[in-house]
Amino acid sequence: MSHQSGIQLSENLIEVFANDVATGNVRFLCVSIENESLVPNGTSPIESTFESDYKKYINEYIETSTPAYIFARLDDKLSSGEYKWLFLCYVPDNAKVREKMIYASTRGTLTKELGNYITFDSIYGTEKSEFTWAGYQKYLAHKAADAPLTKREQELAEIKAEEAKTVSEYQGASTRKSYAPGVAFPFTDKAIEALSELTKSGSNDRSHNFVSLYLDNEKIDLANTANVSIQELSKTITGDAPRFTFYIYENGSNESLVFIYTCPSRSKIRERMLYSSSKANVITAAENDASIKVVKKFETSDLSDLTKEYFDEELLENSTQNSSYSDSNNGGSGSSTPTGSIVGERIQMLGGTRQGFKRPVAPGRRRPAATHSSSSTNTNSSV
């Protein structure tokens, strides 16, 4: 009977892993145990084919006497469109006894928590040669040479393959297309109807200015709608689970439709990963299916960040940047210098994306000043 070490995933690892899965731009993610916690210990980008990247990068993570966990993204996809992954567990014989015991007893925790979200094969070894490209090919050959199936098992395998093909063909013909990275879930009719209401101009014509969405049975469904002032916004968004919120911020005669992704720190790991990897597609689908236009995107784990002062600062800053960009394109000399704020520093841009999301940076690192996407900001009354 195996025993768990009690070592858990760090917040930083959860964020990095969710981001890597969402963007699809990372080939390798190395995980180590430091200070009794599982932490990210290096990534490598996708540059070419899996074989080429594997040969180029694998030796950077396989050291002679240091254990490591390594996630490698394959080029193959499941019928659902998600990438397959490979999990490598390297625990060399000449590692320290305590390290070998800790890595062996923590492996189950890591694969259980992250394996709930991605599909992967696993390779365990104690020699560097087992993790070379030749070693990986031997693993595949051994896997393919498993005991032959009985006639009944072959029939079941054929049935499953046919079912998967049917589902894949149905999805390809019936579901919407999205070109944002990450996972795409369809919207319910209620969600689209509620979002469409936000296209109306003026508060007198709209039944609500706030739409909260949540994930339910692999669909984006409507949580609730409301007419909310900026002072009541943080109290209206659910504080015990992630949410996607579309909100029309009214500042005098100006109206701005913003998207807010909230993920409380006490949210479940699986929830964080699902919401984080699908948020870009939520915006894409909302804009396509409900004909709305989001002018600013926010992400936070602390609802108290959502204040009038912060919205005013960010929307004004975004407008100033876009104005300067327009002047520059027209031969002008306008420029703008982003200014940070306490809240602006807490809600950081999500690295590697073009949608302008924000998130906290890794612990112990200097927080950069807030930056902004170059998407156009519309501040008139027709959102």
Side-chain angles (χ1 to χ4, degrees):
M1 178 177 179
S2 61
H3 297 275
Q4 299 299 313
S5 64
I7 293 174
Q8 300 297 318
L9 282 68
S10 66
E11 293 289 332
N12 191 24
L13 175 59
I14 294 170
E15 292 290 341
V16 170
F17 182 79
N19 181 45
D20 291 348
V21 173
T23 61
N25 295 328
V26 172
R27 179 68 77 188
F28 288 100
L29 167 62
C30 183
V31 179
S32 298
I33 298 175
E34 296 180 5
N35 299 321
E36 305 300 315
S37 181
L38 287 160
V39 298
N41 190 25
T43 61
S44 296
I46 293 175
E47 296 182 352
S48 185
T49 63
F50 176 69
E51 177 180 353
S52 177
D53 289 345
Y54 191 98
K55 292 178 177 178
K56 179 177 180 179
Y57 289 116
I58 191 61
N59 286 332
E60 294 182 10
Y61 304 112
I62 304 297
E63 299 180 13
T64 304
S65 59
T66 304
Y69 304 123
I70 304 165
F71 287 93
R73 203 214 77 181
L74 306 179
D75 292 330
D76 301 328
K77 290 185 177 181
L78 302 170
S79 59
S80 62
E82 299 172 0
Y83 282 105
K84 296 180 181 179
W85 288 71
L86 177 67
F87 174 66
L88 309 175
C89 178
Y90 173 60
V91 184
D93 287 331
N94 59 348
K96 297 178 180 179
V97 174
R98 184 176 183 277
E99 285 186 335
K100 289 194 287 186
M101 293 177 61
I102 291 178
Y103 273 81
S105 60
T106 306
R107 183 182 70 199
T109 298
L110 180 62
T111 56
K112 179 181 178 181
E113 296 291 351
L114 301 186
N116 284 335
Y117 183 68
I118 62 172
T119 300
F120 56 78
D121 281 337
S122 301
I123 301 179
Y124 312 109
T126 60
E127 300 290 338
K128 292 181 66 174
S129 60
E130 298 176 78
F131 297 94
T132 62
W133 181 253
Y136 176 58
Q137 294 303 303
K138 289 181 181 180
Y139 160 78
L140 294 177
H142 176 75
K143 181 180 177 182
D146 287 344
L149 301 177
T150 64
K151 184 177 181 180
R152 177 56 180 163
E153 289 172 334
Q154 289 177 341
E155 292 174 352
L156 291 173
E158 291 172 358
I159 292 173
K160 288 183 179 180
E162 190 62 30
E163 288 176 346
K165 179 181 178 183
T166 301
V167 170
S168 178
E169 291 175 348
Y170 171 77
Q171 290 178 334
S174 63
T175 59
R176 59 182 170 78
K177 293 182 179 180
S178 175
Y179 300 97
V183 181
F185 295 107
F187 276 51
T188 64
D189 291 340
K190 289 192 302 180
I192 295 175
E193 182 180 353
L195 289 171
S196 298
E197 188 72 12
L198 301 181
T199 61
K200 298 179 180 179
S201 302
S203 57
N204 294 331
D205 297 327
R206 290 189 299 267
S207 61
H208 53 261
N209 67 347
F210 170 98
V211 176
S212 179
L213 307 178
Y214 73 110
L215 269 171
D216 183 38
N217 294 323
E218 298 188 359
K219 291 184 178 180
I220 304 296
D221 203 357
L222 178 65
N224 64 297
T225 62
N227 267 313
V228 182
S229 67
I230 185 62
Q231 289 77 15
E232 296 295 319
L233 178 61
S234 62
K235 300 176 183 178
T236 308
I237 299 176
T238 299
D240 57 1
R243 285 293 184 268
F244 301 126
T245 299
F246 292 83
Y247 176 63
I248 294 181
Y249 173 56
E250 302 176 16
N251 186 13
S253 61
N254 294 330
E255 295 182 339
S256 302
L257 177 58
V258 300
F259 172 79
I260 309 167
Y261 164 52
T262 52
C263 185
S265 57
R266 58 179 176 272
S267 302
K268 298 177 181 178
I269 293 176
R270 178 172 173 79
E271 283 184 334
R272 297 186 194 187
M273 293 182 178
L274 285 173
Y275 277 81
S276 178
S277 61
S278 61
K279 60 193 171 187
N281 282 297
V282 167
I283 296 178
T284 301
E287 292 184 333
N288 291 339
D289 297 347
S291 300
I292 62 176
K293 180 60 179 177
V294 173
V295 300
K296 191 72 178 178
K297 302 110 180 180
F298 300 102
E299 175 181 326
T300 186
S301 59
D302 187 350
L303 294 177
S304 65
D305 291 339
L306 305 176
T307 64
K308 182 181 188 304
E309 292 74 20
Y310 181 63
F311 272 50
D312 288 343
E313 178 182 357
E314 290 298 306
L315 290 169
L316 175 62
E317 200 168 292
N318 195 66
S319 177
T320 302
Q321 281 189 304
N322 289 328
S323 176
S324 298
Y325 176 76
S326 176
D327 291 343
S328 177
N329 281 350
N330 293 326
S333 59
S335 63
S336 66
T337 302
T339 59
S341 67
I342 296 175
V343 177
E345 291 175 351
R346 291 179 60 187
I347 311 179
Q348 297 299 312
M349 298 292 288
L350 176 58
T353 67
R354 294 174 295 177
Q355 285 78 25
F357 291 107
K358 302 179 175 183
R359 69 168 184 181
V361 296
R365 295 185 180 180
R366 182 181 180 87
R367 296 180 182 274
T371 57
H372 306 271
S373 63
S374 59
S375 59
S376 175
T377 299
N378 178 14
T379 56
N380 59 38
S381 60
S382 59
V383 180

